[in-house]
Amino acid sequence: MSLELYAAYVLACIVIILVPGPTVTLIIANSIRHGTRAGLANVAGTQAGLAIMIAIVGIGLNTLISGMGHWFEWVRLIGAAYLIWMGVQMFRSKGTLNADGTARKPRGGFFLQGLLVALSNPKTLVFFGAFFPQFIAPQGNYSLQIVVMGLTAMIFAAMSDSTYALAAGRAGRLLSASRIKLMSRISGSFLVGGGLWLAFSRSK
């Protein structure tokens, strides 16, 4: 891959990553309610999800998955249901606390939560599968280029998501309990909206 082609990929990657999605909503909500560490654990989970998707694209299984028809639709609907369920739980949260006064953590932990949200949208596989080939040099090493592009996307995503976690965690320390509850409801509404969009959008 030439330097010019890689620079074009980096620019496109930054533009795409700066558009917030369900993972950013989750990271902000948890950072405000549970602190920066919770948000960063979400970031680690989403990074693991991205790595899995990029690996699938790298070995060429994304075309097989997107062509599975009804199975692909079921995976998409399950992912949508998970986003909606999580959004409803966040919206209905009554601020239950542990004995030490800290906010109760979700089942499975923040890492697993971030991983599941990242994997909840199989359309991301189709996107990566269509996005990467636009920047691959035919004469170059295919696997190496996928690794470079994948790591680049993960680094920029980690930087962007971590910034959200740090900023939201700091803001959370300044907000009252009622404001935090309001933010949880707003975040829950966004997750429900993302789930509904995924449920009613077409796979192709």
Side-chain angles (χ1 to χ4, degrees):
M1 182 187 299
S2 66
L3 184 60
E4 292 79 8
L5 190 60
Y6 180 70
Y9 169 76
V10 169
L11 180 59
C13 202
I14 292 174
V15 171
I16 292 169
I17 289 172
L18 287 178
V19 179
T23 55
V24 172
T25 300
L26 177 71
I27 290 166
I28 291 175
N30 280 331
S31 297
I32 290 176
R33 184 169 179 77
H34 299 279
T36 302
R37 288 186 178 181
L40 293 177
N42 279 154
V43 173
T46 58
Q47 284 287 295
L50 277 177
I52 292 172
M53 290 189 173
I54 291 169
I56 290 174
V57 171
I59 60 178
L61 289 182
N62 59 296
T63 303
L64 174 63
I65 292 174
S66 63
M68 290 174 65
H70 294 300
W71 284 106
F72 181 87
E73 291 300 308
W74 277 111
V75 172
R76 179 174 62 83
L77 291 175
I78 291 172
Y82 178 72
L83 286 178
I84 293 172
W85 176 83
M86 183 179 295
V88 170
Q89 295 299 310
M90 194 175 290
F91 186 88
R92 297 177 59 187
S93 174
K94 297 181 179 179
T96 307
L97 302 178
N98 295 315
D100 60 0
T102 58
R104 185 166 295 176
K105 298 179 181 180
R107 294 178 181 179
F110 298 106
F111 177 89
L112 180 61
Q113 196 181 53
L115 173 65
L116 291 177
V117 169
L119 295 176
S120 65
N121 185 2
K123 291 168 73 73
T124 304
L125 281 175
V126 179
F127 170 78
F128 275 132
F131 182 63
F132 280 179
Q134 308 302 318
F135 300 93
I136 289 180
Q139 72 278 10
N141 185 305
Y142 174 81
S143 299
L144 180 59
Q145 291 181 84
I146 289 292
V147 170
V148 170
M149 288 193 294
L151 287 176
T152 300
M154 289 178 64
I155 289 172
F156 280 109
M159 291 172 59
S160 175
D161 291 347
S162 297
T163 300
Y164 281 115
L166 293 170
R170 180 171 298 181
R173 293 195 295 268
L174 304 176
L175 296 176
S176 63
S178 60
R179 293 286 180 84
I180 291 177
K181 186 175 182 179
L182 175 62
M183 290 298 298
S184 292
R185 289 185 172 181
I186 293 174
S187 299
S189 299
F190 275 113
L191 284 178
V192 170
L196 291 173
W197 172 84
L198 181 59
F200 290 104
S201 63
R202 295 182 179 181
S203 61
K204 294 183 180 180

